[in-house]
Amino acid sequence: MVGASRRFDFSASHRYWRDEWSQQENERVFGKCTSPYGHGHNYTLDVTIRGTPDPATGMIMNMVDLKALVNEVLDAFDHKHLNEDTPYFKDLIPTTENIVRVLWRLIAPRLPAGVALAHLRLYEMRDLWADYDGSDEASFSRSYVFSAAHRLHSAQLSDAENQQLYGKCNNPNGHGHNYTLEVTVDGAVDPQTGMVIDMVALDGQVRGVIDTLDHKHIDREVPWFAARASTGEHIVLYLWELLAARLEGQLRHLRLWETQNNVFEYSGER
Ligand SMILES: [Zn+2]
Ligand SMILES: [Zn+2]
């Protein structure tokens, strides 16, 4: 089986609100998204299909057909108010997790025989997205930025070996990066909130952990790195250790961008 993906865009407004909750409870859970007038996003949808390439065409399905079929679904969402103009969100909060699951239900049955819908990723913003593969659970990801100084230097190597191994990154006075951390959590989508995790709580926990590094010199100010080189591998392990303890079994994946070119990932030892 081979996979193929195509990206789609649509723009829509929405509002998060539960009539049976007080204003205060709505605001506690949904924050600014409770505004009665609604607000909007440029959504990006990545559709991945899976199948066996046709021997004659070499394709799982013609991308032109996939484009037409998905756009037919998205026409009902594009430049609409999701709560008011579509039938799907009368009792369902139009969170990214819920929208991606509705899109799955609409797109999957439209695919021709022999072609399976393998994965959907829906970005609400560049730093917030949900993934869904048709199962009972969904995953939710957010990315966060922090800035820190560090020096690559191993206490287990000589000064000459450190210089040889790490080069410029061994500069005694250090250097710094804007790190981007992508945090992925998963779980069942809460029927009341439409979320796999309380987003306000997630932000608080991640910010709390990131603050231990943000605007710090990692080697000099963070005890965990006293005996460990502050490589991307070690930083992602450090972040995992702290976040896994706070996210009650929901942490699934971390991706740490040190620069645009260097990325480090960890999913725990499973
Ligand atoms: Zn929104
Ligand atoms: Zn560096």
Side-chain angles (χ1 to χ4, degrees):
M1 298 277 252
V2 177
S5 299
R6 189 177 171 95
R7 176 162 282 187
F8 298 85
D9 297 295
F10 63 97
S11 302
S13 56
H14 66 170
R15 182 195 186 200
Y16 295 179
W17 182 265
R18 292 216 75 88
D19 282 336
E20 68 272 29
W21 292 358
S22 66
Q23 174 95 23
Q24 199 183 23
E25 180 67 356
N26 272 287
E27 283 174 4
R28 188 189 67 76
V29 177
F30 299 133
K32 282 184 180 172
C33 303
T34 55
S35 168
Y37 308 105
H39 65 281
H41 301 283
N42 297 325
Y43 289 93
T44 299
L45 177 69
D46 290 333
V47 177
T48 301
I49 55 171
R50 193 179 291 138
T52 305
D54 180 282
T57 65
M59 295 187 274
I60 302 168
M61 75 180 281
N62 193 331
M63 279 291 173
V64 173
D65 296 336
L66 179 66
K67 187 179 164 190
L69 172 163
V70 175
N71 276 334
E72 194 182 296
V73 169
L74 293 181
D75 266 352
F77 291 69
D78 189 34
H79 286 74
K80 298 284 165 60
H81 189 302
L82 297 178
N83 308 62
E84 305 296 330
D85 300 326
T86 77
Y88 311 111
F89 304 102
K90 297 304 173 197
D91 194 48
L92 210 58
I93 304 290
T95 57
T96 320
E97 295 96 312
N98 273 340
I99 299 169
V100 78
R101 291 193 305 158
V102 166
L103 290 172
W104 182 283
R105 290 208 308 272
L106 295 171
I107 294 169
R110 285 178 156 80
L111 292 172
V115 179
L117 185 55
H119 195 86
L120 290 182
R121 171 171 289 186
L122 180 66
Y123 289 89
E124 184 185 86
M125 296 189 292
R126 288 180 64 137
D127 66 353
L128 189 161
W129 64 96
D131 287 278
Y132 189 57
D133 62 7
S135 67
D136 292 339
E137 300 196 333
S139 79
F140 175 79
S141 301
R142 242 194 136 164
S143 74
Y144 302 83
V145 176
F146 64 95
S147 305
H150 76 145
R151 177 199 186 195
L152 291 184
H153 187 88
S154 169
Q156 293 162 53
L157 302 173
S158 70
D159 284 355
E161 286 170 326
N162 269 296
Q163 180 55 47
Q164 167 81 22
L165 177 63
Y166 297 126
K168 275 185 180 175
C169 302
N170 186 237
N171 178 37
N173 290 321
H175 64 281
H177 301 288
N178 294 324
Y179 291 91
T180 299
L181 176 67
E182 298 175 7
V183 178
T184 299
V185 295
D186 67 6
V189 177
D190 184 302
Q192 295 289 306
T193 66
M195 300 176 190
V196 301
I197 194 163
D198 180 334
M199 208 174 80
V200 176
L202 173 70
D203 280 349
Q205 297 290 9
V206 176
R207 278 282 157 217
V209 168
I210 283 176
D211 279 349
T212 65
L213 304 176
D214 193 26
H215 287 74
K216 300 274 172 65
H217 189 300
I218 295 174
D219 309 65
R220 295 181 188 167
E221 296 185 81
V222 187
W224 199 90
F225 293 92
R228 296 178 180 96
S230 53
T231 56
E233 291 91 327
H234 276 162
I235 298 172
V236 81
L237 285 173
Y238 165 81
L239 290 166
W240 180 276
E241 197 175 297
L242 269 63
L243 278 171
R246 294 171 183 222
L247 296 176
E248 294 168 3
Q250 283 195 273
L251 183 60
R252 278 299 159 265
H253 193 69
L254 291 181
R255 179 179 284 136
L256 178 72
W257 296 85
E258 184 183 64
T259 65
Q260 299 270 25
N261 307 317
N262 293 340
V263 63
F264 305 90
E265 301 186 71
Y266 192 59
S267 298
E269 302 295 333
R270 286 201 274 177

